[in-house]
Amino acid sequence: MDKAAGEPLKQYHRQRHHHNDHHNLPTPTSLKASDALPLPLYLTNGLFFGLFFSVAYFLLHRWREKIRNSTPLHILTFPEIAGILCLSASVVYLLGFFGIGIAQSLISRGSQDSWDVEEDHMMEKKGGLCAAEICSGPAKSHAASLACTLAPVPSARAVSTMFQTSLLGSDDEEVIKGVVSGDIPSYSLESKLRDCKRAAVIRREALQRMTGRSLEGLPLEGFDYESILGQCCEMPVGYVQIPVGVAGPLLLDGKEYTVPMATTEGCLVASTNRGCKAIFASGGASSVLLRDGMTRAPIVRFGTAKRAAELKFFIEDPANFDTLSVVFNRSSRFGRLQNIKCTIAGKNLYMRFSCSTGDAMGMNMVSKGVQNVLDYLQTDFPDMEIIGISGNFCSDKKPAAVNWIEGRGKSVVCEAIIKEEVVRKVLKTNVANLVELNMLKNLTGSAMAGALGGFNAHASNIVTAVYIATGQDPAQNVESSHCITMMEAVNGDKDLHISVTMPSIEVGTVGGGTQLASQSACLNLLGVKGASKDSPGSNSRLLSTIIAGSVLAGELSLMSAIAAGQLIKSHMKYNRSSKDVSEIAPSN
């Protein structure tokens, strides 16, 4: 290169260095690791890698202990807060160091247009050129060269979009088309997109296109879809609104409770509230917990009935119970085996395990313990064939005499003496009419119908409403609503003694839907949120007695309304819309 040709190039470099010095900007060739970090780069990387893995191990260990101890994960100690901050700092550093390189490699494959269309569009509107166009232009100006040197790094939003798009290879519209065509499984959207809300939006739109029916009216916004991932509901497309009312105060065992009830049935909350008022005015109700044990009954098969009977005798032998208890109890800190009852059908053996489960409802806990015992028995009984972990002798979510007689979950009896004056003024009836109606309706009428655990007026109404409000399994209202309502005239036939006996209330205050924000708030209202630290299991037991007390109030009020001939009148008032249908009906 001759001097004439090289002089302009030298002059350009002098101007460039002068410009960088003027603005205190280092040139690309002068940048060093020490300019950005106080330590050499390899030491800094090693520090943050070590910090990331050590803190992650510490937090996982602490959270594992919390889960074992049924301690809420959101309650943080100072070391845990410090650990989360350190973990966040290391993640930010590592993403900043390695993430930019990955993003740039993706851009180099020609995906830049799909990564950040919005930024490109803004550049075009301003009449500007992208950095690549400036750098590759035929006539580079001083400003163009500076722009090439200081090319902007993609924003955090752009990088996030890059990774999400790279998982599917296209934008939302392409993903929707993939779901509609069946190329992308709907159930995999959360794992692919890493965004539960976006997955719900895409799944909802794909569903509407596939069915040709609108989901307008089904809410989508305002719900934390992360909270249900992996524990409550799969493939969500929205959520259903159920209003929550409160009845009370319910005066039970000397304490007052305001009971949340989620229902769409008019008059139910008002009726239960009236029953609570009558109980309160009469001095309150009292409850007794008779039994607390969740059950699971596997079914196994042998070659002969004799061999099945040998296992039955082995299990029911008191000398073997301690060994089986140790094996069973390994599954959980709170699961404790109480008893095993067996029954035979030919060469098939059904074993009904019952155990305490702390503040959890306990189905999974019992199932784990049962599996431990079956694995242990397989050693001494190698010819035992395990047909199923549940053989319906439990019995879950089905009306069954075994639950009515033996109980399942919490067995509770709740009673109150309602004064004659309260029966007359608050309930608008009299004691004699209530006693007679209860005998002919709840006892005789239910017997004529061949009822199984249904010797009551409407216990399932209250059970289901409280279950939905507090995050219980609504399907378990089948056996949880088993109830016999008794009424008797006392104190010289002036006052009313009323009781409800409920042998299988299946509830928990940890796990499942109890962890969701709305349901957790309702449990907090009752003072039974989460696991009890002082006495494991006391929160779930208290919840079962509150439910029984609420059923007592509901039974008292409904029976009084029927005895006084007020049932139709009250339902016409509370259970029918008074809106002008012609005004709210859509016009054609």
Side-chain angles (χ1 to χ4, degrees):
M1 181 182 295
D2 59 347
K3 293 183 179 180
E7 187 61 28
L9 183 61
K10 293 179 180 179
Q11 183 180 359
Y12 161 72
H13 281 292
R14 284 197 297 269
Q15 291 176 351
R16 180 180 178 186
H17 281 285
H18 174 72
H19 187 278
N20 288 340
D21 292 339
H22 179 71
H23 292 279
N24 296 321
L25 295 174
T27 61
T29 57
S30 65
L31 289 176
K32 299 178 182 178
S34 60
D35 292 334
L37 299 170
L39 296 174
L41 191 58
Y42 74 93
L43 290 180
T44 306
N45 287 343
L47 173 64
F48 279 99
F49 267 114
L51 183 65
F52 174 81
F53 288 109
S54 60
V55 173
Y57 175 80
F58 167 75
L59 291 175
L60 290 174
H61 180 72
R62 294 297 293 267
W63 289 338
R64 180 184 179 187
E65 290 299 320
K66 284 188 175 185
I67 293 173
R68 287 182 173 180
N69 300 335
S70 297
T71 303
L73 295 180
H74 65 273
I75 299 178
L76 301 176
T77 61
F78 178 76
E80 291 170 345
I81 295 175
I84 292 174
L85 293 177
C86 292
L87 184 68
S88 302
S90 61
V91 169
V92 170
Y93 171 82
L94 294 174
L95 283 179
F97 188 81
F98 295 102
I100 294 174
I102 297 174
Q104 290 175 343
S105 66
L106 292 173
I107 293 174
S108 64
R109 288 201 297 263
S111 303
Q112 183 172 359
D113 292 339
S114 63
W115 294 142
D116 208 350
V117 177
E118 183 178 350
E119 287 191 4
D120 289 347
H121 182 63
M122 292 297 294
M123 289 286 289
E124 290 172 2
K125 289 180 67 176
K126 292 179 180 179
L129 297 175
C130 67
E133 291 172 333
I134 294 175
C135 295
S136 60
K140 288 186 178 180
S141 65
H142 171 70
S145 300
L146 182 62
C148 292
T149 304
L150 303 177
V153 176
S155 63
R157 176 185 174 187
V159 173
S160 175
T161 307
M162 292 175 191
F163 281 104
Q164 290 180 5
T165 308
S166 67
L167 292 171
L168 297 173
S170 188
D171 56 10
D172 286 1
E173 182 62 30
E174 293 301 319
V175 178
I176 294 171
K177 292 179 180 178
V179 174
V180 172
S181 65
D183 295 333
I184 301 176
S186 179
Y187 63 80
S188 68
L189 289 176
E190 281 79 6
S191 62
K192 289 182 177 295
L193 300 177
R194 307 295 183 186
D195 186 338
C196 294
K197 171 66 179 301
R198 183 184 173 202
V201 173
I202 290 175
R203 182 181 295 111
R204 179 189 179 108
E205 178 60 27
L207 179 63
Q208 292 182 131
R209 296 185 186 184
M210 288 188 291
T211 61
R213 298 183 180 276
S214 172
L215 288 177
E216 182 180 359
L218 180 67
L220 182 65
E221 299 290 337
F223 189 83
D224 182 11
Y225 293 93
E226 299 281 351
S227 65
I228 64 173
L229 182 64
Q231 68 172 357
C232 289
C233 179
E234 298 76 41
M235 297 192 290
V237 294
Y239 60 96
V240 174
Q241 296 169 311
I242 301 179
V244 177
V246 292
L250 171 65
L251 183 56
L252 177 66
D253 298 324
K255 296 183 180 180
E256 296 180 16
Y257 302 95
T258 301
V259 183
M261 303 175 66
T263 181
T264 57
E265 179 181 352
C267 201
L268 177 60
V269 177
S271 177
T272 307
N273 189 67
R274 183 175 76 146
C276 291
K277 179 180 179 181
I279 293 173
F280 192 97
S282 300
S286 60
S287 65
V288 179
L289 185 76
L290 305 175
R291 189 185 300 108
D292 181 9
M294 182 50 64
T295 64
R296 174 61 84 197
I299 174 176
V300 299
R301 181 170 60 194
F302 289 89
T304 63
K306 181 179 179 180
R307 187 63 172 153
E310 290 178 3
L311 178 55
K312 179 180 185 298
F313 298 145
F314 176 87
I315 291 175
E316 294 179 345
D317 187 346
N320 298 322
F321 182 78
D322 289 342
T323 301
L324 296 178
S325 294
V326 171
V327 175
F328 183 96
N329 296 343
R330 292 174 185 167
S331 62
S332 171
R333 177 183 174 186
F334 300 102
R336 292 295 177 266
L337 183 63
Q338 296 172 340
N339 60 71
I340 308 174
K341 294 190 176 181
C342 301
T343 187
I344 286 182
K347 58 182 182 178
N348 304 300
L349 177 65
Y350 298 81
M351 300 171 281
R352 192 172 191 259
F353 291 73
S354 178
C355 87
S356 59
T357 57
D359 282 307
M361 186 270 288
M363 288 288 294
N364 293 333
M365 192 183 301
V366 182
S367 297
K368 291 178 183 177
V370 168
Q371 188 62 55
N372 287 346
V373 174
L374 292 177
D375 293 341
Y376 173 79
L377 293 175
Q378 196 89 62
T379 303
D380 293 330
F381 295 87
D383 55 334
M384 178 181 72
E385 180 185 0
I386 301 174
I387 302 300
I389 192 68
S390 175
N392 275 9
F393 188 47
C394 312
S395 172
D396 185 45
K397 303 174 184 176
K398 292 166 282 291
V402 68
N403 291 336
W404 177 241
I405 298 171
E406 298 289 342
R408 188 171 196 254
K410 278 71 173 171
S411 299
V412 182
V413 59
C414 187
E415 63 180 346
I417 295 179
I418 310 301
K419 298 177 181 178
E420 179 187 23
E421 182 180 7
V422 175
V423 173
R424 187 176 69 255
K425 292 184 177 181
V426 178
L427 302 177
K428 310 300 182 183
T429 184
N430 59 70
V431 173
N433 287 348
L434 280 174
V435 172
E436 182 181 32
L437 177 63
N438 186 71
M439 180 187 67
L440 295 177
K441 170 182 167 62
N442 289 340
L443 304 182
T444 308
S446 295
M448 293 297 292
L452 180 58
F455 299 93
N456 58 81
H458 71 149
S460 63
N461 252 338
I462 291 86
V463 170
T464 305
V466 179
Y467 269 29
I468 295 176
T470 58
Q472 312 303 315
D473 188 341
Q476 289 184 323
N477 78 84
V478 175
E479 62 268 37
S480 296
S481 298
H482 281 350
C483 172
I484 182 168
T485 301
M486 304 290 292
M487 293 185 183
E488 180 183 352
V490 294
N491 299 332
D493 293 340
K494 292 191 303 180
D495 300 334
L496 174 72
H497 179 276
I498 177 173
S499 68
V500 293
T501 304
M502 306 180 69
S504 51
I505 301 177
E506 300 161 345
V507 292
T509 57
V510 295
T514 65
Q515 302 178 63
L516 301 181
S518 302
Q519 291 82 342
S520 181
C522 290
L523 289 171
N524 189 55
L525 176 64
L526 293 172
V528 295
K529 177 182 176 181
S532 173
K533 296 181 180 179
D534 300 328
S535 177
S538 61
N539 280 353
S540 62
R541 289 192 289 268
L542 177 56
L543 178 58
S544 69
T545 61
I546 293 173
I547 291 173
S550 303
V551 170
L552 183 74
E555 290 288 283
L556 180 62
S557 183
L558 177 58
M559 292 295 288
S560 298
I562 296 175
Q566 299 173 337
L567 181 64
I568 299 300
K569 181 180 178 180
S570 61
H571 272 272
M572 291 295 290
K573 179 179 179 181
Y574 291 103
N575 206 24
R576 287 179 64 89
S577 174
S578 59
K579 295 180 181 179
D580 188 346
V581 178
S582 63
E583 293 181 1
I584 62 175
S587 57
N588 294 328

PDB file of all heavy atoms in Angstrom, residues 9 17 30 69 77 149-150 156 176 215 237 241 270 308 324 334 366 389 393 402 420 494 521 549 564 582:
ATOM      1  N   LEU A   9      -6.421   6.443   5.644  1.00  0.00           N
ATOM      2  CA  LEU A   9      -6.725   5.437   6.648  1.00  0.00           C
ATOM      3  C   LEU A   9      -6.130   5.811   7.992  1.00  0.00           C
ATOM      4  O   LEU A   9      -6.760   5.681   9.040  1.00  0.00           O
ATOM      5  CB  LEU A   9      -6.204   4.073   6.190  1.00  0.00           C
ATOM      6  CG  LEU A   9      -6.514   2.893   7.117  1.00  0.00           C
ATOM      7  CD1 LEU A   9      -8.021   2.730   7.253  1.00  0.00           C
ATOM      8  CD2 LEU A   9      -5.888   1.619   6.547  1.00  0.00           C
ATOM      9  N   HIS A  17      -9.546   7.490  17.451  1.00  0.00           N
ATOM     10  CA  HIS A  17      -8.974   7.432  18.788  1.00  0.00           C
ATOM     11  C   HIS A  17      -9.220   8.731  19.532  1.00  0.00           C
ATOM     12  O   HIS A  17      -9.465   8.735  20.737  1.00  0.00           O
ATOM     13  CB  HIS A  17      -7.464   7.140  18.687  1.00  0.00           C
ATOM     14  CG  HIS A  17      -7.166   5.708  18.438  1.00  0.00           C
ATOM     15  ND1 HIS A  17      -7.285   4.752  19.421  1.00  0.00           N
ATOM     16  CD2 HIS A  17      -6.764   5.059  17.302  1.00  0.00           C
ATOM     17  CE1 HIS A  17      -6.958   3.564  18.910  1.00  0.00           C
ATOM     18  NE2 HIS A  17      -6.638   3.724  17.628  1.00  0.00           N
ATOM     19  N   SER A  30      -8.362  -2.332  23.038  1.00  0.00           N
ATOM     20  CA  SER A  30      -7.808  -2.019  24.352  1.00  0.00           C
ATOM     21  C   SER A  30      -8.612  -2.603  25.494  1.00  0.00           C
ATOM     22  O   SER A  30      -8.270  -2.438  26.643  1.00  0.00           O
ATOM     23  CB  SER A  30      -7.722  -0.501  24.534  1.00  0.00           C
ATOM     24  OG  SER A  30      -9.025   0.058  24.534  1.00  0.00           O
ATOM     25  N   ASN A  69     -41.351 -31.418  56.707  1.00  0.00           N
ATOM     26  CA  ASN A  69     -41.930 -30.937  57.964  1.00  0.00           C
ATOM     27  C   ASN A  69     -43.252 -30.221  57.767  1.00  0.00           C
ATOM     28  O   ASN A  69     -43.808 -29.667  58.720  1.00  0.00           O
ATOM     29  CB  ASN A  69     -40.948 -29.983  58.664  1.00  0.00           C
ATOM     30  CG  ASN A  69     -39.645 -30.662  58.994  1.00  0.00           C
ATOM     31  OD1 ASN A  69     -39.594 -31.880  59.142  1.00  0.00           O
ATOM     32  ND2 ASN A  69     -38.572 -29.877  59.118  1.00  0.00           N
ATOM     33  N   THR A  77     -36.162 -17.879  56.253  1.00  0.00           N
ATOM     34  CA  THR A  77     -35.229 -17.435  57.276  1.00  0.00           C
ATOM     35  C   THR A  77     -34.195 -16.511  56.631  1.00  0.00           C
ATOM     36  O   THR A  77     -34.114 -16.413  55.400  1.00  0.00           O
ATOM     37  CB  THR A  77     -34.527 -18.632  57.925  1.00  0.00           C
ATOM     38  OG1 THR A  77     -33.783 -19.333  56.907  1.00  0.00           O
ATOM     39  CG2 THR A  77     -35.547 -19.584  58.544  1.00  0.00           C
ATOM     40  N   THR A 149     -18.650  -0.017  16.121  1.00  0.00           N
ATOM     41  CA  THR A 149     -17.874  -0.373  17.297  1.00  0.00           C
ATOM     42  C   THR A 149     -18.761  -0.556  18.522  1.00  0.00           C
ATOM     43  O   THR A 149     -18.561  -1.458  19.334  1.00  0.00           O
ATOM     44  CB  THR A 149     -16.833   0.719  17.593  1.00  0.00           C
ATOM     45  OG1 THR A 149     -16.030   0.906  16.439  1.00  0.00           O
ATOM     46  CG2 THR A 149     -15.960   0.328  18.782  1.00  0.00           C
ATOM     47  N   LEU A 150     -19.755   0.334  18.661  1.00  0.00           N
ATOM     48  CA  LEU A 150     -20.620   0.323  19.847  1.00  0.00           C
ATOM     49  C   LEU A 150     -21.995  -0.230  19.517  1.00  0.00           C
ATOM     50  O   LEU A 150     -23.011   0.325  19.905  1.00  0.00           O
ATOM     51  CB  LEU A 150     -20.755   1.751  20.399  1.00  0.00           C
ATOM     52  CG  LEU A 150     -19.431   2.437  20.752  1.00  0.00           C
ATOM     53  CD1 LEU A 150     -19.678   3.859  21.205  1.00  0.00           C
ATOM     54  CD2 LEU A 150     -18.708   1.660  21.836  1.00  0.00           C
ATOM     55  N   ALA A 156     -33.035  -7.501  27.394  1.00  0.00           N
ATOM     56  CA  ALA A 156     -33.424  -8.708  28.130  1.00  0.00           C
ATOM     57  C   ALA A 156     -34.705  -9.293  27.556  1.00  0.00           C
ATOM     58  O   ALA A 156     -34.871 -10.501  27.462  1.00  0.00           O
ATOM     59  CB  ALA A 156     -33.609  -8.376  29.615  1.00  0.00           C
ATOM     60  N   ILE A 176     -50.061 -21.894  17.581  1.00  0.00           N
ATOM     61  CA  ILE A 176     -51.497 -22.191  17.548  1.00  0.00           C
ATOM     62  C   ILE A 176     -51.824 -23.121  16.390  1.00  0.00           C
ATOM     63  O   ILE A 176     -52.569 -24.098  16.538  1.00  0.00           O
ATOM     64  CB  ILE A 176     -52.311 -20.885  17.453  1.00  0.00           C
ATOM     65  CG1 ILE A 176     -52.142 -20.052  18.729  1.00  0.00           C
ATOM     66  CG2 ILE A 176     -53.791 -21.181  17.206  1.00  0.00           C
ATOM     67  CD1 ILE A 176     -52.731 -18.666  18.643  1.00  0.00           C
ATOM     68  N   LEU A 215     -65.173 -19.263  23.699  1.00  0.00           N
ATOM     69  CA  LEU A 215     -65.060 -19.376  25.151  1.00  0.00           C
ATOM     70  C   LEU A 215     -65.209 -18.014  25.826  1.00  0.00           C
ATOM     71  O   LEU A 215     -64.766 -17.822  26.957  1.00  0.00           O
ATOM     72  CB  LEU A 215     -63.711 -19.993  25.535  1.00  0.00           C
ATOM     73  CG  LEU A 215     -63.550 -21.487  25.252  1.00  0.00           C
ATOM     74  CD1 LEU A 215     -62.147 -21.948  25.614  1.00  0.00           C
ATOM     75  CD2 LEU A 215     -64.582 -22.293  26.029  1.00  0.00           C
ATOM     76  N   VAL A 237     -57.433 -23.535  30.349  1.00  0.00           N
ATOM     77  CA  VAL A 237     -57.838 -22.552  29.341  1.00  0.00           C
ATOM     78  C   VAL A 237     -58.581 -21.384  29.990  1.00  0.00           C
ATOM     79  O   VAL A 237     -59.159 -20.551  29.298  1.00  0.00           O
ATOM     80  CB  VAL A 237     -58.742 -23.198  28.266  1.00  0.00           C
ATOM     81  CG1 VAL A 237     -57.979 -24.222  27.451  1.00  0.00           C
ATOM     82  CG2 VAL A 237     -59.978 -23.836  28.899  1.00  0.00           C
ATOM     83  N   GLN A 241     -65.556 -18.833  37.897  1.00  0.00           N
ATOM     84  CA  GLN A 241     -65.812 -17.981  39.054  1.00  0.00           C
ATOM     85  C   GLN A 241     -66.942 -18.571  39.902  1.00  0.00           C
ATOM     86  O   GLN A 241     -68.030 -18.831  39.401  1.00  0.00           O
ATOM     87  CB  GLN A 241     -66.194 -16.575  38.605  1.00  0.00           C
ATOM     88  CG  GLN A 241     -65.085 -15.846  37.866  1.00  0.00           C
ATOM     89  CD  GLN A 241     -65.567 -14.574  37.213  1.00  0.00           C
ATOM     90  OE1 GLN A 241     -66.580 -14.580  36.525  1.00  0.00           O
ATOM     91  NE2 GLN A 241     -64.857 -13.486  37.417  1.00  0.00           N
ATOM     92  N   ALA A 270     -77.486 -18.025  53.390  1.00  0.00           N
ATOM     93  CA  ALA A 270     -78.423 -17.349  54.294  1.00  0.00           C
ATOM     94  C   ALA A 270     -79.031 -18.330  55.293  1.00  0.00           C
ATOM     95  O   ALA A 270     -79.185 -18.021  56.482  1.00  0.00           O
ATOM     96  CB  ALA A 270     -79.526 -16.673  53.480  1.00  0.00           C
ATOM     97  N   ALA A 308     -54.159 -67.140  50.075  1.00  0.00           N
ATOM     98  CA  ALA A 308     -54.614 -65.793  50.401  1.00  0.00           C
ATOM     99  C   ALA A 308     -54.952 -65.685  51.884  1.00  0.00           C
ATOM    100  O   ALA A 308     -54.665 -64.682  52.539  1.00  0.00           O
ATOM    101  CB  ALA A 308     -55.822 -65.426  49.550  1.00  0.00           C
ATOM    102  N   LEU A 324     -44.623 -54.422  60.391  1.00  0.00           N
ATOM    103  CA  LEU A 324     -45.299 -53.777  59.269  1.00  0.00           C
ATOM    104  C   LEU A 324     -45.419 -52.276  59.488  1.00  0.00           C
ATOM    105  O   LEU A 324     -45.342 -51.488  58.538  1.00  0.00           O
ATOM    106  CB  LEU A 324     -46.681 -54.397  59.063  1.00  0.00           C
ATOM    107  CG  LEU A 324     -46.706 -55.879  58.659  1.00  0.00           C
ATOM    108  CD1 LEU A 324     -48.145 -56.374  58.531  1.00  0.00           C
ATOM    109  CD2 LEU A 324     -45.945 -56.105  57.358  1.00  0.00           C
ATOM    110  N   PHE A 334     -45.113 -37.969  59.058  1.00  0.00           N
ATOM    111  CA  PHE A 334     -46.389 -37.853  59.756  1.00  0.00           C
ATOM    112  C   PHE A 334     -47.283 -39.076  59.591  1.00  0.00           C
ATOM    113  O   PHE A 334     -48.226 -39.257  60.354  1.00  0.00           O
ATOM    114  CB  PHE A 334     -47.143 -36.614  59.258  1.00  0.00           C
ATOM    115  CG  PHE A 334     -46.386 -35.329  59.480  1.00  0.00           C
ATOM    116  CD1 PHE A 334     -45.707 -34.718  58.438  1.00  0.00           C
ATOM    117  CD2 PHE A 334     -46.330 -34.753  60.730  1.00  0.00           C
ATOM    118  CE1 PHE A 334     -45.005 -33.547  58.637  1.00  0.00           C
ATOM    119  CE2 PHE A 334     -45.634 -33.582  60.948  1.00  0.00           C
ATOM    120  CZ  PHE A 334     -44.959 -32.971  59.899  1.00  0.00           C
ATOM    121  N   VAL A 366     -50.662 -42.309  52.391  1.00  0.00           N
ATOM    122  CA  VAL A 366     -51.040 -43.692  52.684  1.00  0.00           C
ATOM    123  C   VAL A 366     -50.630 -44.618  51.545  1.00  0.00           C
ATOM    124  O   VAL A 366     -50.150 -45.734  51.773  1.00  0.00           O
ATOM    125  CB  VAL A 366     -52.557 -43.800  52.940  1.00  0.00           C
ATOM    126  CG1 VAL A 366     -52.943 -45.224  53.297  1.00  0.00           C
ATOM    127  CG2 VAL A 366     -52.977 -42.856  54.048  1.00  0.00           C
ATOM    128  N   ILE A 389     -53.072 -50.963  43.556  1.00  0.00           N
ATOM    129  CA  ILE A 389     -52.823 -50.289  44.833  1.00  0.00           C
ATOM    130  C   ILE A 389     -54.134 -49.924  45.515  1.00  0.00           C
ATOM    131  O   ILE A 389     -54.182 -49.733  46.733  1.00  0.00           O
ATOM    132  CB  ILE A 389     -51.957 -49.023  44.614  1.00  0.00           C
ATOM    133  CG1 ILE A 389     -51.432 -48.462  45.938  1.00  0.00           C
ATOM    134  CG2 ILE A 389     -52.740 -47.958  43.876  1.00  0.00           C
ATOM    135  CD1 ILE A 389     -50.426 -49.334  46.619  1.00  0.00           C
ATOM    136  N   PHE A 393     -61.914 -51.176  48.412  1.00  0.00           N
ATOM    137  CA  PHE A 393     -62.310 -51.485  49.778  1.00  0.00           C
ATOM    138  C   PHE A 393     -61.899 -50.342  50.702  1.00  0.00           C
ATOM    139  O   PHE A 393     -62.039 -50.428  51.909  1.00  0.00           O
ATOM    140  CB  PHE A 393     -61.663 -52.817  50.219  1.00  0.00           C
ATOM    141  CG  PHE A 393     -62.131 -53.340  51.541  1.00  0.00           C
ATOM    142  CD1 PHE A 393     -63.478 -53.400  51.867  1.00  0.00           C
ATOM    143  CD2 PHE A 393     -61.218 -53.798  52.483  1.00  0.00           C
ATOM    144  CE1 PHE A 393     -63.909 -53.887  53.092  1.00  0.00           C
ATOM    145  CE2 PHE A 393     -61.626 -54.292  53.709  1.00  0.00           C
ATOM    146  CZ  PHE A 393     -62.980 -54.331  54.018  1.00  0.00           C
ATOM    147  N   VAL A 402     -68.574 -49.482  54.291  1.00  0.00           N
ATOM    148  CA  VAL A 402     -67.365 -49.586  55.109  1.00  0.00           C
ATOM    149  C   VAL A 402     -66.971 -48.221  55.676  1.00  0.00           C
ATOM    150  O   VAL A 402     -66.511 -48.114  56.821  1.00  0.00           O
ATOM    151  CB  VAL A 402     -66.205 -50.205  54.290  1.00  0.00           C
ATOM    152  CG1 VAL A 402     -65.745 -49.269  53.182  1.00  0.00           C
ATOM    153  CG2 VAL A 402     -65.035 -50.571  55.190  1.00  0.00           C
ATOM    154  N   GLU A 420     -86.024 -23.194  73.645  1.00  0.00           N
ATOM    155  CA  GLU A 420     -87.391 -23.108  73.105  1.00  0.00           C
ATOM    156  C   GLU A 420     -87.677 -21.732  72.523  1.00  0.00           C
ATOM    157  O   GLU A 420     -88.284 -21.601  71.454  1.00  0.00           O
ATOM    158  CB  GLU A 420     -88.391 -23.421  74.217  1.00  0.00           C
ATOM    159  CG  GLU A 420     -89.850 -23.324  73.767  1.00  0.00           C
ATOM    160  CD  GLU A 420     -90.821 -23.481  74.921  1.00  0.00           C
ATOM    161  OE1 GLU A 420     -90.410 -23.236  76.077  1.00  0.00           O
ATOM    162  OE2 GLU A 420     -91.987 -23.838  74.673  1.00  0.00           O
ATOM    163  N   LYS A 494     -89.132 -28.939  76.402  1.00  0.00           N
ATOM    164  CA  LYS A 494     -89.175 -27.530  76.007  1.00  0.00           C
ATOM    165  C   LYS A 494     -88.069 -27.192  75.006  1.00  0.00           C
ATOM    166  O   LYS A 494     -88.316 -26.450  74.052  1.00  0.00           O
ATOM    167  CB  LYS A 494     -89.032 -26.630  77.245  1.00  0.00           C
ATOM    168  CG  LYS A 494     -90.223 -26.694  78.202  1.00  0.00           C
ATOM    169  CD  LYS A 494     -90.142 -25.603  79.242  1.00  0.00           C
ATOM    170  CE  LYS A 494     -88.834 -25.686  80.038  1.00  0.00           C
ATOM    171  NZ  LYS A 494     -88.750 -24.627  81.066  1.00  0.00           N
ATOM    172  N   ALA A 521     -56.600 -18.200  51.557  1.00  0.00           N
ATOM    173  CA  ALA A 521     -57.203 -17.084  52.292  1.00  0.00           C
ATOM    174  C   ALA A 521     -58.399 -17.544  53.115  1.00  0.00           C
ATOM    175  O   ALA A 521     -58.603 -17.084  54.248  1.00  0.00           O
ATOM    176  CB  ALA A 521     -57.615 -15.984  51.310  1.00  0.00           C
ATOM    177  N   GLY A 549     -69.847 -28.577  62.528  1.00  0.00           N
ATOM    178  CA  GLY A 549     -70.654 -27.526  63.143  1.00  0.00           C
ATOM    179  C   GLY A 549     -71.468 -26.755  62.129  1.00  0.00           C
ATOM    180  O   GLY A 549     -72.621 -26.371  62.396  1.00  0.00           O
ATOM    181  N   ALA A 564     -91.889 -25.108  59.179  1.00  0.00           N
ATOM    182  CA  ALA A 564     -92.710 -23.894  59.222  1.00  0.00           C
ATOM    183  C   ALA A 564     -93.348 -23.581  57.872  1.00  0.00           C
ATOM    184  O   ALA A 564     -94.066 -22.581  57.745  1.00  0.00           O
ATOM    185  CB  ALA A 564     -91.847 -22.720  59.666  1.00  0.00           C
ATOM    186  N   SER A 582     -86.090  -9.497  29.948  1.00  0.00           N
ATOM    187  CA  SER A 582     -86.180  -8.826  28.653  1.00  0.00           C
ATOM    188  C   SER A 582     -85.108  -7.765  28.492  1.00  0.00           C
ATOM    189  O   SER A 582     -84.694  -7.429  27.389  1.00  0.00           O
ATOM    190  CB  SER A 582     -87.567  -8.191  28.491  1.00  0.00           C
ATOM    191  OG  SER A 582     -87.767  -7.188  29.481  1.00  0.00           O
TER     192      SER A 582
END
